[in-house]
Amino acid sequence: MEQEKVNQINGVSKQVYNQSYTKLMETIRLMDQRISSKADDVVLTITSAHRKEIESLQQEVTQINKILEDLQETNVQRVHTIPFKRQKRNKNWFKLLPFVQKS
């Protein structure tokens, strides 16, 4: 009993301290594990969302490339099927302009 009074005056016993310390360290370890797990979940969610967005953009680019190729092919066909006729230029085109005064 005298030993307990001395411990109460000086603080806690070494055994109680060690138990409290061990419990505190276990609590900190569990919290660290939960935080790490939560961070991993967040990173996984963000990565998954980015992957879906990238795949969607890749599909759009593929579609745009296909449309562009089709348009280029259509233009090539038009160029070959429709001949371009060149008009004769009027040598006096300057006189035809409305602001030119006739002399």
Side-chain angles (χ1 to χ4, degrees):
M1 187 154 319
E2 196 170 300
Q3 181 72 15
E4 289 178 22
K5 287 182 182 180
V6 170
N7 283 340
Q8 286 177 354
I9 294 171
N10 292 335
V12 295
S13 69
K14 189 173 186 178
Q15 183 181 7
V16 172
Y17 172 80
N18 284 338
Q19 287 175 347
S20 296
Y21 180 78
T22 304
K23 186 177 178 182
L24 177 64
M25 291 307 291
E26 181 64 20
T27 304
I28 290 173
R29 186 187 68 76
L30 288 173
M31 288 174 65
D32 184 51
Q33 189 177 17
R34 283 189 220 142
I35 290 171
S36 178
S37 176
K38 188 70 167 179
D40 290 346
D41 290 345
V42 168
V43 168
L44 181 63
T45 302
I46 290 172
T47 303
S48 177
H50 284 182
R51 178 175 291 156
K52 287 178 184 177
E53 186 177 353
I54 288 171
E55 288 173 355
S56 172
L57 290 173
Q58 285 175 333
Q59 287 176 350
E60 280 187 49
V61 168
T62 303
Q63 289 174 349
I64 290 171
N65 280 335
K66 186 177 181 317
I67 291 169
L68 183 62
E69 287 173 359
D70 291 346
L71 286 174
Q72 287 174 341
E73 186 176 307
T74 304
N75 281 340
V76 166
Q77 290 173 355
R78 283 185 184 166
V79 167
H80 292 299
T81 57
I82 301 173
F84 179 72
K85 291 185 179 181
R86 193 169 221 175
Q87 294 179 344
K88 292 183 180 180
R89 284 181 36 187
N90 188 348
K91 293 181 181 177
N92 297 321
W93 64 270
F94 188 74
K95 291 180 180 177
L96 297 174
L97 296 176
F99 56 84
V100 177
Q101 295 180 357
K102 294 184 180 181
S103 39

